[in-house]
Amino acid sequence: MVKKKRIRLIAEMARKIRAYRELKNRPRESEKYALDYDTMTRPHTRKTLPVLAWQDVRRESRLFSLLSGLRMFGVGHLFTRKSWLTEHPEAPSYWQVTKVKVDYTAENMDHGRAWGVLTYKGKQESEPKEMDKVMYHDWRLVPKHEEEQFKLYNPVPEPPIRYVSYPPLLRAMLLAQRQKDELGSAAEEPTLPLKRDVLLSKEYFRSQEKKRERQEGTAV
Amino acid sequence: MAAYTLQRCLGAVKVIHKCGSHSFIARRSLLSTAYTDSKLWDAREKDHQNLALLAALMDRTYDRNFPVSSLSISRFVDNISSREEVDQAEYYLYKFRHSPNCWYLRDWTVHSWVRQCLRYGARDKALHTLKNKVQYGMFPDDFTFNIMIDSFIKDEDFKGACSVVEEVMLQESFDLPTTQILSLYALSNYLATKPELSMSEERALGASLLISGLKQDSSIGLSAQLLGCALLGKVEMAAGIHAVFRGMPLMWTPGYLGRALAVMERVAAAPGDGKLSKDAVDYLEGLLQDLSSASDSSSGEDDESGGEEGKKEEEVVVDEDDQAERDKLPLYASRFKDLSGQLQSRGKVDPSPLQVLVSSLVQQSLASAEGPDMEQYQRKVGEWEAERQQLIRREKEMRERAEEERRAHQAAKAAAKQG
């Protein structure tokens, strides 16, 4: 019933060549994140940085500006962000660098990608992740002689989760459902925890997006 | 060769003076000849290559956009035999750093580069590559740093020695006691010449003194910490805390003068033997007086003129934390007077200048600290050699494999043509 699809070999080849050329000529990190410090615009996208960030851009440095001057690109050192220091000064948050892939086309080895173990508000994560916001002018090196003191943290114990009873109509519905399922009314009262157990978190959506990308392949 | 004989003579002279007085002769190297000479390094297996061929190979590889192996650049540096070739090697080091393989620049290449530069009298070249470490990827290890500092100290070039110490500070590699002693010696001798210091130089000196002094627990370490904090406090008062810690491994909490006073307090309260050099205490006193008089006069002017544009801009940016620092100045001055009184009464102020303290430390501890260093160096040279041989073997294997594949491919083509 369906007409047989014509196999267009040349179009297929063109598609592959286009994908290869896109891969070869993709803009490197040094081009994408280059910044003109006088006009505070990025030449790649011709967009201006937000005004509140201008002071930080002038005073602080990018992560790779710090990494390029360190032995082995600073693997094993701790780095904080100034925004974390101002947001929650009492709980230390830092990245410990494990792997670095530097963009060698940059003149001062100023850009690249980095991976590390995050400790956010005193809680250390188990696995290294890719560091985000690496190109932000926000980063500070924690000196080795201050590392111990910086990492000190006495976490305030979290108060236990409180539970609340359901609204009456919903509670009646739940109890009716239970009775239908023959659990009996001897079971305990259904309660609602006041701390949201987030199933649909940012990590979940990001992993879904990555899965979708992998299935779809490169854009033609 | 001439350098060798000179070193040996000086080594002998140093031995004679060691058991004598405190008079210090002009040209002397602190590290023993066994430490600095390159017998062990030269005893490695030589890998003779023609530099022109290597250079041509590297150029071809770069043109075709292939990665150059770390073995080629290490061979190039090992086979340098004249001053001009040092310049060529510098160019190739730059190119290697800006290639995808920049991570794989080996430690032994850097060590070899420094040794070659020192041998062919290109010490300023080595210092230039070290200063631009971002562009050349030059991150020497502790032993190499020691050799460099020693070579500068031998020629009384304390400014150069202090630049090297600044690089050591930026890498925070004051782990070995030899490095600490050498850097303190260089810094104290440089300061003894009373040079004119710009703000960035003051910042670098202050940071080097602070970080090298933190490792040493003796009076020299504490005085170095005090002097370092004082210098950093001066920069902080003048230009704000951001100017202090930008690009340096320093803490960003404001209050470096407060930290200097905390050091004095610790020394005054500690029951041990630690003293503070009079130099450092006098410097802090002079600094506080200068700053207080400057702030008095400037605040007087401010009331009168109402602030010009330029100054107003700076004040707007420098506000909050830095203004709070400046307001604390009279508090610091009064606290300093108390603490210095306490130190004097407990006899914790050492009247000898910093230089003399450091020299006595050198005589006491340097020889004993050199021993473990040299063993570690021998071990490291062995490891580097093993790695180098492994790389050479791997390269040969890969070449053989490529040859075989090519031969098989050609045989297959010939067979296809015939058949």
Side-chain angles (χ1 to χ4, degrees):
Chain A
M1 194 173 80
V2 178
K3 199 167 77 170
K4 185 176 162 191
K5 208 167 178 152
R6 270 175 47 217
I7 303 172
R8 297 154 73 210
L9 290 168
I10 296 180
E12 198 55 50
M13 195 169 72
R15 224 174 284 154
K16 284 202 190 122
I17 290 177
R18 255 182 263 138
Y20 176 77
R21 284 208 186 137
E22 196 188 312
L23 191 64
K24 277 281 170 177
N25 297 336
R26 67 185 188 276
R28 313 282 162 159
E29 267 94 12
S30 51
E31 292 163 22
K32 268 200 283 185
Y33 302 123
L35 179 62
D36 175 12
Y37 285 92
D38 297 320
T39 50
M40 292 288 170
T41 46
R42 295 216 191 265
H44 184 69
T45 49
R46 274 178 284 125
K47 285 195 186 161
T48 329
L49 294 183
V51 181
L52 290 175
W54 287 6
Q55 199 197 43
D56 273 349
V57 167
R58 283 190 197 112
R59 294 212 289 196
E60 313 270 349
S61 29
R62 281 184 290 243
L63 181 63
F64 269 84
S65 320
L66 302 171
L67 289 180
S68 59
L70 291 176
R71 205 176 265 164
M72 285 217 293
F73 284 105
V75 167
H77 283 77
L78 303 182
F79 291 91
T80 1
R81 296 184 58 198
K82 174 201 141 274
S83 40
W84 287 342
L85 291 173
T86 40
E87 260 172 59
H88 35 89
E90 68 290 335
S93 320
Y94 50 89
W95 279 99
Q96 184 173 28
V97 179
T98 45
K99 180 175 138 182
V100 164
K101 187 163 167 249
V102 77
D103 178 18
Y104 56 89
T105 53
E107 201 185 295
N108 292 331
M109 317 300 272
D110 243 354
H111 297 89
R113 297 165 73 182
W115 288 259
V117 178
L118 171 63
T119 304
Y120 190 62
K121 288 197 194 163
K123 274 192 279 251
Q124 196 182 26
E125 303 195 359
S126 47
E127 279 191 0
K129 286 194 305 193
E130 179 163 2
M131 286 199 227
D132 58 346
K133 310 212 175 84
V134 162
M135 70 297 291
Y136 277 35
H137 287 77
D138 203 22
W139 292 89
R140 293 192 187 171
L141 168 66
V142 178
K144 270 202 211 142
H145 53 91
E146 299 276 348
E147 256 179 33
E148 287 301 323
Q149 216 204 358
F150 187 73
K151 288 205 254 192
L152 279 178
Y153 178 55
N154 286 327
V156 173
E158 279 176 26
I161 304 177
R162 289 178 294 165
Y163 291 90
V164 166
S165 53
Y166 273 90
L169 179 59
L170 196 53
R171 180 170 166 272
M173 285 163 64
L174 280 171
L175 287 174
Q177 185 68 26
R178 269 202 202 164
Q179 214 158 32
K180 203 173 87 168
D181 290 340
E182 293 174 13
L183 267 179
S185 47
E188 74 275 348
E189 162 106 6
T191 51
L192 199 52
L194 282 182
K195 191 173 163 87
R196 223 177 108 212
D197 211 11
V198 183
L199 282 164
L200 305 175
S201 68
K202 209 159 63 159
E203 292 292 328
Y204 175 76
F205 283 121
R206 223 180 270 173
S207 61
Q208 292 296 85
E209 215 179 280
K210 280 208 175 69
K211 221 180 357 177
R212 224 181 304 134
E213 259 178 36
R214 246 180 288 143
Q215 282 165 357
E216 281 178 0
T218 54
V220 167
Chain B
M1 272 22 98
Y4 271 107
T5 43
L6 199 54
Q7 259 188 13
R8 256 186 280 138
C9 294
L10 286 177
V13 178
K14 189 180 105 169
V15 162
I16 294 173
H17 269 258
K18 220 168 155 177
C19 37
S21 54
H22 273 297
S23 69
F24 303 105
I25 54 165
R27 293 177 56 110
R28 49 176 285 192
S29 89
L30 294 189
L31 297 171
S32 62
T33 39
Y35 199 98
T36 47
D37 76 5
S38 41
K39 269 208 294 281
L40 185 62
W41 189 246
D42 291 335
R44 296 182 311 157
E45 211 177 289
K46 294 265 178 277
D47 188 12
H48 286 288
Q49 302 270 337
N50 187 349
L51 278 185
L53 285 178
L54 260 183
L57 169 70
M58 284 207 269
D59 283 333
R60 267 205 317 269
T61 334
Y62 280 125
D63 283 334
R64 277 196 266 162
N65 235 346
F66 284 141
V68 174
S69 70
S70 55
L71 189 57
S72 346
I73 186 80
S74 70
R75 273 181 182 150
F76 197 99
V77 173
D78 278 338
N79 285 311
I80 293 178
S81 52
S82 68
R83 180 77 174 78
E84 295 78 29
E85 288 171 10
V86 168
D87 298 324
Q88 292 170 11
E90 189 190 352
Y91 169 70
Y92 281 109
L93 275 172
Y94 181 90
K95 282 213 88 167
F96 188 78
R97 173 78 167 167
H98 289 262
S99 72
N101 269 354
C102 53
W103 171 276
Y104 295 107
L105 185 67
R106 308 276 167 178
D107 288 337
W108 73 73
T109 313
V110 174
H111 183 76
S112 170
W113 161 257
V114 169
R115 283 243 194 236
Q116 300 278 33
C117 280
L118 293 180
R119 186 187 300 178
Y120 293 106
R123 206 172 53 195
D124 48 339
K125 215 22 129 191
L127 188 61
H128 168 75
T129 52
L130 188 61
K131 282 261 154 229
N132 298 2
K133 56 192 186 298
V134 171
Q135 306 292 341
Y136 292 99
M138 194 65 49
F139 295 104
D141 57 339
D142 296 329
F143 193 87
T144 323
F145 269 131
N146 284 352
I147 299 180
M148 274 190 90
I149 304 180
D150 189 54
S151 135
F152 276 102
I153 290 182
K154 200 157 56 133
D155 287 335
E156 295 275 302
D157 184 6
F158 291 117
K159 192 153 194 257
C162 280
S163 326
V164 183
V165 173
E166 193 185 319
E167 293 304 315
V168 181
M169 177 269 297
L170 287 171
Q171 302 298 320
E172 296 186 281
S173 59
F174 281 114
D175 299 317
L176 296 180
T178 32
T179 324
Q180 295 158 23
I181 298 174
L182 280 173
S183 34
L184 286 170
Y185 185 85
L187 289 166
S188 58
N189 277 310
Y190 183 56
L191 287 172
T193 59
K194 301 234 181 294
E196 279 294 321
L197 295 168
S198 71
M199 184 110 70
S200 53
E201 283 171 23
E202 269 177 15
R203 195 165 74 110
L205 275 180
S208 328
L209 277 166
L210 176 61
I211 302 185
S212 53
L214 276 173
K215 299 277 184 169
Q216 291 264 334
D217 243 344
S218 58
S219 46
I220 177 68
L222 294 162
S223 321
Q225 283 179 41
L226 180 66
L227 201 47
C229 286
L231 280 165
L232 290 171
K234 182 171 169 194
V235 177
E236 191 187 341
M237 287 291 169
I241 186 72
H242 279 271
V244 172
F245 71 80
R246 173 125 196 223
M248 298 249 171
L250 292 172
M251 203 57 193
W252 46 79
T253 41
Y256 274 94
L257 284 178
R259 286 195 197 122
L261 293 173
V263 169
M264 287 176 74
E265 209 175 310
R266 238 184 308 144
V267 170
D273 206 18
K275 295 191 190 167
L276 287 176
S277 160
K278 195 164 182 308
D279 278 352
V281 178
D282 288 343
Y283 181 80
L284 187 52
E285 191 174 349
L287 176 65
L288 282 169
Q289 279 175 359
D290 286 338
L291 286 172
S292 335
S293 58
S295 71
D296 285 337
S297 58
S298 73
S299 58
E301 267 180 39
D302 256 347
D303 291 335
E304 292 175 10
S305 62
E308 308 95 15
E309 262 189 43
K311 219 157 96 167
K312 211 161 100 170
E313 256 182 50
E314 218 199 87
E315 288 298 325
V316 166
V317 168
V318 166
D319 232 346
E320 296 169 14
D321 299 326
D322 300 323
Q323 198 57 38
E325 264 304 301
R326 287 178 196 177
D327 294 334
K328 279 199 216 155
L329 200 51
L331 196 71
Y332 286 147
S334 58
R335 232 182 107 197
F336 175 77
K337 279 204 214 35
D338 295 330
L339 286 170
S340 64
Q342 273 185 23
L343 285 173
Q344 288 281 5
S345 60
R346 290 182 205 182
K348 296 242 176 176
V349 178
D350 199 336
S352 47
L354 212 58
Q355 214 180 351
V356 172
L357 278 176
V358 172
S359 313
S360 61
L361 179 68
V362 161
Q363 285 182 342
Q364 285 165 10
S365 342
L366 193 56
S368 50
E370 280 181 16
D373 273 1
M374 302 214 2
E375 288 165 16
Q376 209 198 19
Y377 176 59
Q378 279 174 354
R379 249 179 289 138
K380 245 199 274 189
V381 170
E383 283 168 13
W384 288 345
E385 263 312 280
E387 224 179 308
R388 195 164 73 109
Q389 297 303 330
Q390 200 220 5
L391 280 180
I392 296 178
R393 250 177 286 138
R394 203 175 64 176
E395 192 196 36
K396 226 187 334 184
E397 278 170 22
M398 282 183 56
R399 245 185 235 158
E400 280 170 16
R401 222 179 295 154
E403 268 296 318
E404 275 178 27
E405 276 176 17
R406 202 160 59 89
R407 254 179 273 145
H409 190 66
Q410 272 185 347
K413 250 194 352 193
K417 244 201 244 169
Q418 278 182 359

